[in-house]
Amino acid sequence: MAPLGRGIAGPGDELLLPSARPFRILHVSTGNVCRSPITERLHRRALELRLGAECSGGLLVESAGTWGHEGAPMEAHAATVCGDYGADPAGFLGRELLDEHVIRADLVLTATRDHRAQVISMGHSAGLRTFTLKEFNRLVRAIDPATLPEPDPDLPDGGLVERARALVGAAAALRGWLLAPNPESDEVYDPYGAPITFFRSVGDEINQALDPVVTALTGVPARA
């Protein structure tokens, strides 16, 4: 059985009505041993802090790499950075990005523009749901939360799936209007082979980029 949040689909997922399916978020980098594992585990930790572990099941966070080291452990410095933020690196196994990952993802967040282009080139109508992490951060900060569905604790998924789908649609509609100040501002650079200090700076970039994304997805701000 795949570790929590890393499986492709649960039994019978394809038979569920769209409203009953989990919302799958896929983080993509190159090797799937540094940037995307850090982002996956920090994202999952942020959801748990906002919602509680038992309430975040409507949002499933995974990762893969365009040249992924299949079955490889997380890079040691990347695991240290996860621990710095209280995220658990245990049990991580690298994956190579496959068509089925893209097909099942409701939102793909990549480390760089090149990764975004590679995901889109795979087809599967991925263009409107694939962004770089920093691009998505910029777009969701411009979206009025009042225009998104409110979380609903009476629903099995807390209303998170409907809200997340609306958020992705709103971000896609804004993309041509809210451009980056420069191309580099949408990139998270690869720390592979760098010292721990550079890994920590990348971890800080990722953590800051995730904060408004998780707030927009859940409707719950980070605790002060």
Side-chain angles (χ1 to χ4, degrees):
M1 181 178 292
L4 177 64
R6 291 191 60 76
I8 300 302
D13 267 8
E14 70 281 359
L15 302 178
L16 298 174
L17 293 172
S19 59
R21 295 173 190 157
F23 184 91
R24 294 181 176 273
I25 302 167
L26 178 67
H27 291 289
V28 175
S29 63
T30 302
N32 195 216
V33 292
C34 296
R35 287 169 291 181
S36 51
I38 291 172
T39 315
E40 173 198 311
R41 294 304 170 98
L42 264 59
H43 197 158
R44 287 167 58 179
R45 176 61 175 161
L47 288 172
E48 291 173 358
L49 290 173
R50 301 289 210 289
L51 302 169
E54 70 284 355
C55 297
S56 56
L59 304 177
L60 297 182
V61 183
E62 307 169 319
S63 65
T66 55
W67 291 87
H69 299 293
E70 190 72 28
M74 192 183 305
E75 201 276 346
H77 287 339
T80 297
V81 169
C82 287
D84 289 345
Y85 292 92
D88 186 3
F92 182 86
L93 295 175
R95 303 192 306 181
E96 183 176 356
L97 181 67
L98 302 176
D99 287 317
E100 59 198 48
H101 301 142
V102 177
I103 290 168
R104 291 202 167 104
D106 297 289
L107 171 62
V108 184
L109 297 176
T110 70
T112 70
R113 291 167 295 149
D114 282 347
H115 296 132
R116 181 184 66 194
Q118 288 179 67
V119 171
I120 293 172
S121 74
M122 294 172 73
H124 315 302
S125 303
L128 293 178
R129 51 194 168 89
T130 303
F131 309 80
T132 75
L133 172 63
K134 287 188 173 180
E135 175 191 21
F136 197 65
N137 165 289
R138 183 176 71 253
L139 297 172
V140 300
R141 286 189 288 114
I143 295 169
D144 182 355
T147 64
L148 300 174
E150 286 291 330
D152 186 347
D154 292 330
L155 295 175
D157 64 6
L160 296 176
V161 171
E162 182 185 5
R163 183 182 178 92
R165 291 195 176 115
L167 181 69
V168 172
L174 276 177
R175 178 148 47 190
W177 299 92
L178 190 63
L179 302 178
N182 56 71
E184 289 71 28
S185 66
D186 278 345
E187 307 274 288
V188 176
Y189 291 106
D190 192 355
Y192 187 76
I196 186 62
T197 50
F198 188 67
F199 269 82
R200 284 191 162 121
S201 70
V202 168
D204 184 58
E205 275 187 74
I206 291 170
N207 189 58
Q208 290 190 44
L210 280 172
D211 181 71
V213 171
V214 175
T215 297
L217 284 167
T218 64
V220 181
R223 297 174 183 173

